[in-house]
Amino acid sequence: MWNEPRNERETFLSGCYSSVLLANMVKTEAPWRPQADKKALEARAQLLADIRHFFARRGVLEVETPILSTAAATAPHLHSLVTTYQGPQAPKEGQQLFLQTSPEHAMKRLLAAGSGPIYQIARVFRNGESGRRHNPEFTLLEWYRPGFDHLALMEEVDILLSLLLGTSAGERLSYREVFHRYLGIDVFTASDKTLARLANVQGFHDVAASGGQARQIYLDFLLANVIEPQLGQERPCFIYDYPASDAQLARIRPPSESCSRPLAERFEVYLKGMELANGYHELCDAVEQRQRFGADLIQRKRGGLSEVPMDKFLLAALEQGLPACAGVALGVDRLLMLLLNSARIEEVLAFPLIRI
């Protein structure tokens, strides 16, 4: 669920940043010591307690699902960490297993089995992600609400943020509105040439793609590098109704009188220029989900990425019947950064990548 693409600048700087930080750390104190101070550890404990209290009062069940899976996230921008299990029930050469990038697939299997509303505070893993706001292992709060659409779930996220961070009611802007406000364009009618020009002005020139894929790359870059830093400076900002090309695991709403384009029923939440959460009105159609997985795998192959197996268990669960629902994933470490006014994710982690 948490599918934020790394922005170009952070990807470029993360290696240099981590090296400098490590060098400074070694000079100043013993590297065996935790990076986060006691205040941060206590704040995390209280934050987790507050989250659990919120969902207990609303009758949402806390669940736990495996970190390991025989399937991986197929999205081209997500890279799973891999391990091999050797032992009973494994083939002679061992069983390849992937560390979860999100608990989404397993939680949807619970929903299909009749769990009702559920949440999980999960440890998740992303290969290749390290920087000011990224660590390859991090904590994700993910929850699902049968009977909700993405708009109803936005309301619940807003309430949770107000309780945890003391924020006022969030601002709502459609994807179309936010591009018009900050770039002065209609994102659905602007030409690929216009998007390329705007991205090039911001320093982006490398697109090894064409057609719709190149267009989506330009849109992602402009959102991450131009628009995102300006969002949610005073209160949370919810961006909703994305282009159908950026649906990921969300439903697509067909064209209507209010919009002549199909729209992905999903949202993202920003505060102080930082993405906090990513939510969907969940896709329930097994046939369409299989097609999207297949399209992801084609893109991975074209990009020279490793081939990964589809999640056959998720597809079987969808065939059985996933209840109409909405789901969202929210970064707990980033919540803590905002609570403590921390500039770097390392400041709120006991042992980030540079100390393991």
Side-chain angles (χ1 to χ4, degrees):
M1 181 70 64
W2 180 272
N3 288 326
E4 177 198 7
R6 295 286 303 284
N7 70 56
E8 179 98 343
R9 178 172 174 79
E10 183 164 3
T11 300
F12 177 76
L13 292 177
S14 62
C16 298
Y17 164 77
S18 296
S19 297
V20 171
L21 186 62
L22 178 58
N24 290 338
M25 179 193 75
V26 171
K27 289 178 183 177
T28 58
E29 58 183 39
W32 65 264
R33 298 185 63 84
Q35 183 78 19
D37 59 21
K38 188 176 180 182
K39 176 183 175 183
L41 300 179
E42 291 172 342
R44 178 181 291 271
Q46 185 60 57
L47 180 64
L48 296 178
D50 291 343
I51 289 169
R52 289 188 164 100
H53 181 69
F54 175 84
F55 286 112
R57 293 193 63 177
R58 289 173 171 250
V60 181
L61 178 69
E62 182 173 8
V63 298
E64 184 175 277
T65 56
I67 287 174
L68 296 171
S69 174
T70 54
T74 58
H77 68 272
L78 290 176
H79 308 290
S80 300
L81 288 166
V82 186
T83 189
T84 301
Y85 168 66
Q86 302 278 1
Q89 302 183 47
K92 186 176 181 180
E93 66 276 13
Q95 174 69 61
Q96 179 177 249
L97 296 171
F98 300 88
L99 278 68
Q100 65 179 0
T101 58
S102 159
E104 178 171 6
H105 293 189
M107 293 182 76
K108 285 182 174 176
R109 291 166 63 184
L110 291 177
L111 289 163
S115 67
I118 53 176
Y119 80 97
Q120 181 170 182
I121 300 171
R123 303 295 290 181
V124 297
F125 306 84
R126 305 280 174 89
N127 202 3
E129 297 197 5
S130 178
R132 186 165 62 93
R133 295 174 177 172
H134 294 83
N135 193 68
E137 178 182 1
F138 59 101
T139 304
L140 201 60
L141 166 63
E142 190 152 331
W143 76 95
Y144 292 86
R145 285 296 218 153
F148 280 34
D149 63 9
H150 61 307
L151 301 178
L153 190 56
M154 283 165 55
E155 295 296 327
E156 186 165 62
V157 173
D158 207 4
I159 294 169
L160 177 63
L161 291 178
S162 70
L163 292 174
L164 298 178
L165 301 178
T167 54
S168 55
E171 179 181 25
R172 270 71 165 163
L173 293 171
S174 71
Y175 190 90
R176 190 175 205 165
E177 288 170 334
V178 80
F179 270 82
H180 185 266
R181 174 181 291 186
Y182 292 103
L183 287 171
I185 62 170
D186 185 327
V187 72
F188 293 118
T189 60
S191 67
D192 291 0
K193 186 176 181 179
T194 296
L195 295 177
R197 177 180 56 79
L198 289 170
N200 290 343
V201 167
Q202 298 297 325
F204 185 67
H205 304 286
D206 181 22
V207 175
S210 61
Q213 187 179 358
R215 182 181 183 85
Q216 191 59 53
I217 290 172
Y218 290 133
L219 291 174
D220 289 343
F221 175 84
L222 291 169
L223 180 61
N225 291 272
V226 181
I227 297 174
E228 178 179 321
Q230 304 180 68
L231 296 178
Q233 294 304 318
E234 302 299 328
R235 56 179 176 148
C237 182
F238 291 76
I239 309 301
Y240 65 95
D241 283 355
Y242 281 61
S245 59
D246 200 15
Q248 298 178 20
L249 300 185
R251 297 187 185 201
I252 295 177
R253 186 168 71 248
S256 63
E257 291 184 4
S258 60
C259 184
S260 62
R261 307 294 177 110
L263 296 173
E265 295 190 328
R266 54 172 297 221
F267 67 91
E268 292 183 355
V269 188
Y270 296 86
L271 186 58
K272 302 297 182 184
M274 180 163 60
E275 183 188 343
L276 286 182
N278 185 14
Y280 304 146
H281 191 191
E282 299 293 344
L283 178 65
C284 297
D285 187 320
V287 174
E288 185 174 350
Q289 185 64 77
R290 187 182 295 274
Q291 291 172 347
R292 292 192 195 179
F293 281 162
D296 283 346
L297 294 178
I298 290 171
Q299 283 194 40
R300 292 182 69 89
K301 186 174 182 180
R302 287 175 178 168
L305 301 173
S306 60
E307 185 176 352
V308 296
M310 292 185 192
D311 192 334
K312 62 182 180 181
F313 295 117
L314 173 62
L315 293 172
L318 294 179
E319 290 171 358
Q320 175 65 31
L322 180 71
C325 64
V328 63
L330 192 156
V332 173
D333 307 300
R334 293 187 179 187
L335 281 179
L336 199 55
M337 288 174 67
L338 290 167
L339 271 174
L340 299 177
N341 196 29
S342 299
R344 305 189 309 268
I345 194 170
E346 285 89 351
E347 296 173 13
V348 301
L349 301 176
F351 300 107
L353 179 63
I354 57 175
R355 297 209 178 200
I356 60 174

